[in-house]
Amino acid sequence: MKAQSLVSGFCSNPTTPSIPNTKKSFFQAPTPPSAYFSQSRKWVSFKIQHSALQRVWYNKQNGVEEVKDGTSHGNDLENGVRRKKLAVFVSGGGSNFRSIHEASLGGSVHGDIAVLVTNKRGCGGSVYARDNGIPVVLFPKTKDEPDGLAPNDLVAELRKFEVDFVLLAGYLKLIPVELIRAYPRSILNIHPSLLPAFGGKGYYGMKVHKAVIASGARYSGPTIHFVDEHYDTGRILAQSVVPVLAKDTAEELAARVLQEEHRLYVEVTTALCEERIIWREDGVPLIQSKENPSEYR
């Protein structure tokens, strides 16, 4: 489906003019606010309101684990914007998941993590979720995880948790097309390189940083992008530049990139929950400045 038809299908006013293509590159680097560019034309905001279903808590069966407390943190409305409900997907330790959860509890993210989805019930992210009263859903169903859900069942489960947005945070499985169609322009992923370089199937974890160093690249850093049916090919939303030092090991580079991941993912999640993601007419997503709504990056 073309980007413009997606906007027309979900915006309340499909005839609203879009931001023209300014032919500029958009990435988030550690630069001052002057990195924003001014845009005086009208823009198209993309706000999704999924079906409002009653929240239900389940016993540990059919791939869903019980939680005792589903209380939302903070006010439901902030400046007229409803507090969002997030699903986070992890396969490992979940350090980005933890950063987002802590930001939510601290009030900087106007949203709550309603559910964690994982393909490994014993991973560190799952343990953290259970310790913090966040329900855990297993996906997909495999030989190692026979209690995992099928794709359509996963979509139904997320609907029951009233999920607005899906955040992939070190989730190593390909997202099924059923989920992508159910949550158009509502699924984000973070990748530890400056995409499109060092992305795609097989590029994950330490393999990415080893490839960056071996290539002689002078810069790396995390990329946050929207998710499509392929690995690391969705529209880029934000990037942050991290220098590659002459004597870097893969582990040293990974540590610096990960630190920047934590900062960038919280910043982008904040904008997402505050409905500050704007789509240019050519399908490029931008982040609207909170301090100056006429500026984007």
Side-chain angles (χ1 to χ4, degrees), residues 103-117:
S104 171
L105 295 179
S108 59
V109 170
H110 189 57
D112 301 303
I113 298 177
V115 60
L116 180 87
V117 178

Side-chain angles (χ1 to χ4, degrees), residues 165-217:
F165 298 108
V166 174
L167 307 177
L168 309 185
Y171 185 73
L172 302 182
K173 296 291 185 179
L174 189 65
I175 299 301
V177 66
E178 292 89 345
L179 183 60
I180 294 170
R181 289 173 179 170
Y183 285 88
R185 288 183 170 179
S186 300
I187 307 175
L188 289 178
N189 180 50
I190 190 163
H191 183 78
S193 74
L194 296 175
L195 292 175
F198 309 104
K201 189 173 182 180
Y203 279 102
Y204 61 89
M206 206 58 65
K207 292 182 179 181
V208 172
H209 306 297
K210 289 180 179 178
V212 169
I213 291 174
S215 75

Side-chain angles (χ1 to χ4, degrees), residues 30-170:
T31 55
S34 59
Y36 286 83
F37 72 91
S38 179
Q39 175 57 262
S40 60
R41 295 177 181 266
K42 292 183 178 179
W43 39 264
V44 174
S45 64
F46 190 79
K47 303 175 183 179
I48 295 178
Q49 293 183 351
H50 300 292
S51 303
L53 300 176
Q54 184 177 3
R55 186 187 295 267
V56 181
W57 304 106
Y58 293 83
N59 290 325
K60 187 177 179 181
Q61 58 183 1
N62 298 328
V64 184
E65 298 184 1
E66 178 182 320
V67 296
K68 297 180 180 180
D69 181 13
T71 304
S72 173
H73 302 279
N75 297 324
D76 290 334
L77 290 176
E78 182 177 283
N79 297 324
V81 177
R82 177 179 57 83
R83 194 172 179 87
K84 301 302 187 290
K85 295 176 182 178
L86 311 172
V88 181
F89 286 44
V90 305
S91 292
S95 64
N96 276 304
F97 160 48
R98 299 181 191 205
S99 294
I100 295 169
H101 181 245
E102 290 170 0
S104 171
L105 295 179
S108 59
V109 170
H110 189 57
D112 301 303
I113 298 177
V115 60
L116 180 87
V117 178
T118 183
N119 59 312
K120 297 180 179 180
R121 73 172 73 221
C123 70
S126 299
V127 173
Y128 178 86
R130 295 186 192 101
D131 289 344
N132 286 272
I134 299 172
V136 176
V137 170
L138 292 174
F139 176 82
K141 183 176 183 178
T142 64
K143 182 179 179 180
D144 294 332
E145 294 291 0
D147 294 330
L149 299 181
N152 286 326
D153 293 332
L154 174 64
V155 172
E157 206 63 46
L158 296 185
R159 294 297 197 202
K160 291 173 183 176
F161 284 108
E162 304 175 8
V163 167
D164 296 292
F165 298 108
V166 174
L167 307 177
L168 309 185

